[in-house]
Amino acid sequence: MMKRIRLGMVGGGEGSFIGGVHRIAARLDDQFELVAGAFSSSPEVAKRSGETLFVEPGRSYESWQEMAEQEAARSDGIEAVAIVTPNFLHVPIAKAFIEKNIHVICDKPLGVSLAEAKELAFLINQSGSHFILTHNYSALPMVREARARIANSEIGDIRNVEVEYLQGWLNDRLELTDNKQASWRGKAQFAGAGAIGDIGTHAWQLAAFVTGMEPESIRGELLTRIEGRELDDEVFAEMRYANGARGRLWASQVAPGFENDLRLRIVGSRGSICFRQQQPEILEIHPLYGNSYVVTRNGVNNHDSIRNQCRTPAGHPEGYLEGFAQIYREAATKIRGGTTPLLPGIMEGLSGMRFIETLRASSDQGGVWMDW
């Protein structure tokens, strides 16, 4: 009989936003059961978090190192671990669990440098463990609908790719307050990168996922708009593709009035496709000839493969949480030996780190073109 996958979590304790998101996502399709965790670097917070989450006292650990050792030694130890810590811990924690043959589900970005990402990739390739990166937006049904239509040449040859992710929440220096989400993101030693890592990698991965293309060259600029801030808070990039297409990316956390406005526009020789994350139920189609129209999630004109991942009937909205849940559903399939061609993993993680470092190098040199 197939049972729920035993899941552990590192980070995500008291006061964590993303930890709660991962736990909801992991349970939405009933494929995982949280049985262990090292929820905080503070022993007191870790203990309280374990109690709140109904984890057995003996499996609520004070450190992730202890958790990896003890869970690997148990006959009923965890089969997978979710990493929801600040970025600088992603790779060290992933290594510790992969070395114990435990699968890893990790929040993005992959880490703080391309060098450490390559070390992790080598370790994964030598192991039997799976590594999943939670680029949740690429798991939204209408994003996958866009990918399927582009793969079927419905808009012809791609000419332009435009993606933007705008937020305004860091227009004030929240990193100097007790805001837990902002405090570590404002420090290079914990985050590694600013807006480019936090939301820029989401935009980058989304464009590559939907188009099936990465550029030949890239240039751009990392800006720090708020005086005194340690890391970038706004990013601009241009891309050149092998087929002659051009691309632009804009990611900002200092755009007042914007919340989580992730948008993607793909212009082809015979039509265009537009998607907006804050309206995740629809995909705009603009053909060369005929009227523009929208495709709705779980509607009559969805691709069958997309309809099969929808959890509610058309008209009952799905969005952010279900995107994470789809990642967990496919992670469960992969862990059980199934095929999951759209699930983001180590290659997407490497691409994200490469994007950060290439664009940073371009910015440092005045925005010159850099080979990809």
Side-chain angles (χ1 to χ4, degrees), residues 88-108:
F88 79 107
L89 288 172
H90 288 180
V91 170
I93 296 170
K95 283 182 174 179
F97 284 90
I98 287 167
E99 287 171 350
K100 299 297 183 182
N101 297 313
I102 295 170
H103 306 294
V104 171
I105 303 169
C106 185
D107 209 41
K108 46 82 351 235

Side-chain angles (χ1 to χ4, degrees), residues 292-327:
S292 296
Y293 61 98
V294 298
V295 178
T296 57
R297 185 199 57 80
N298 215 5
V300 295
N301 50 0
N302 269 177
H303 283 255
D304 286 341
S305 61
I306 310 305
R307 190 179 296 109
N308 291 339
Q309 81 166 62
C310 297
R311 291 165 177 79
T312 61
H316 290 283
E318 292 184 11
Y320 180 76
L321 291 173
E322 288 83 0
F324 271 99
Q326 186 64 24
I327 296 290

Side-chain angles (χ1 to χ4, degrees), residues 27-350:
R27 285 306 306 272
L28 197 58
D29 293 309
D30 250 351
Q31 297 297 302
F32 292 85
E33 181 178 6
L34 183 68
V35 298
F39 299 109
S40 175
S41 57
S42 163
E44 295 79 12
V45 174
K47 182 176 183 295
R48 287 199 304 270
S49 299
E51 292 170 349
T52 300
L53 297 170
F54 305 104
V55 171
E56 294 177 12
R59 302 182 76 175
S60 182
Y61 301 95
E62 292 189 1
S63 74
W64 52 268
Q65 295 93 335
E66 179 190 13
M67 177 179 166
E69 289 289 339
Q70 294 201 21
E71 287 296 315
R74 295 177 65 114
S75 60
D76 63 346
I78 61 171
E79 299 163 88
V81 63
I83 302 174
V84 289
T85 65
N87 303 343
F88 79 107
L89 288 172
H90 288 180
V91 170
I93 296 170
K95 283 182 174 179
F97 284 90
I98 287 167
E99 287 171 350
K100 299 297 183 182
N101 297 313
I102 295 170
H103 306 294
V104 171
I105 303 169
C106 185
D107 209 41
K108 46 82 351 235
L110 179 58
V112 295
S113 75
L114 181 58
E116 69 167 2
K118 288 179 177 178
E119 290 178 4
L120 178 60
F122 178 81
L123 181 61
I124 291 168
N125 290 334
Q126 300 301 308
S127 76
S129 299
H130 299 305
F131 179 88
I132 295 98
L133 198 65
T134 55
H135 276 297
N136 57 299
Y137 300 116
S138 66
L140 294 173
M142 303 319 293
V143 167
R144 293 188 170 182
E145 181 78 25
R147 175 188 168 97
R149 288 172 178 265
I150 288 172
N152 289 339
S153 301
E154 292 188 27
I155 66 168
D157 298 327
I158 294 175
R159 291 176 175 170
N160 297 92
V161 180
E162 297 208 354
V163 61
E164 60 186 47
Y165 195 157
L166 305 184
Q167 299 175 335
W169 74 294
L170 289 180
N171 203 56
D172 295 319
R173 294 204 63 188
L174 292 183
E175 68 269 27
L176 300 182
T177 71
D178 61 358
N179 184 307
K180 185 173 181 178
Q181 310 308 318
S183 59
W184 68 264
R185 284 179 170 85
K187 298 180 176 65
Q189 68 184 101
F190 299 136
I196 190 173
D198 199 28
I199 60 174
T201 52
H202 267 314
W204 173 261
Q205 190 268 344
L206 185 68
F209 177 82
V210 173
T211 63
M213 304 191 312
E214 286 193 348
E216 283 191 322
S217 57
I218 182 172
R219 72 175 178 184
E221 188 173 17
L222 275 64
L223 300 175
T224 304
R225 296 290 196 183
I226 305 302
E227 185 177 355
R229 177 164 284 161
E230 188 174 338
L231 294 169
D232 61 279
D233 50 27
E234 190 163 45
V235 181
F236 297 90
E238 293 181 86
M239 293 85 79
R240 290 174 174 169
Y241 296 89
N243 72 336
R246 297 292 185 264
R248 293 188 296 182
L249 181 152
W250 175 25
S252 177
Q253 293 179 308
V254 290
F258 289 94
E259 294 168 342
N260 276 280
D261 201 355
L262 174 59
R263 303 188 189 208
L264 178 67
R265 293 177 292 277
I266 311 293
V267 178
S269 58
R270 301 194 60 80
S272 303
I273 285 180
C274 303
F275 173 78
R276 185 182 182 191
Q277 188 271 147
Q278 291 185 178
Q279 297 174 327
E281 293 283 284
I282 64 172
L283 180 69
E284 294 180 16
I285 311 292
H286 304 282
L288 175 61
Y289 301 112
N291 296 327
S292 296
Y293 61 98
V294 298
V295 178
T296 57
R297 185 199 57 80
N298 215 5
V300 295
N301 50 0
N302 269 177
H303 283 255
D304 286 341
S305 61
I306 310 305
R307 190 179 296 109
N308 291 339
Q309 81 166 62
C310 297
R311 291 165 177 79
T312 61
H316 290 283
E318 292 184 11
Y320 180 76
L321 291 173
E322 288 83 0
F324 271 99
Q326 186 64 24
I327 296 290
Y328 271 88
R329 178 193 284 182
E330 294 177 8
T333 298
K334 190 176 185 70
I335 290 168
R336 292 187 172 119
T339 302
T340 56
L342 302 183
L343 185 63
I346 188 62
M347 296 309 297
E348 287 76 12
L350 285 168

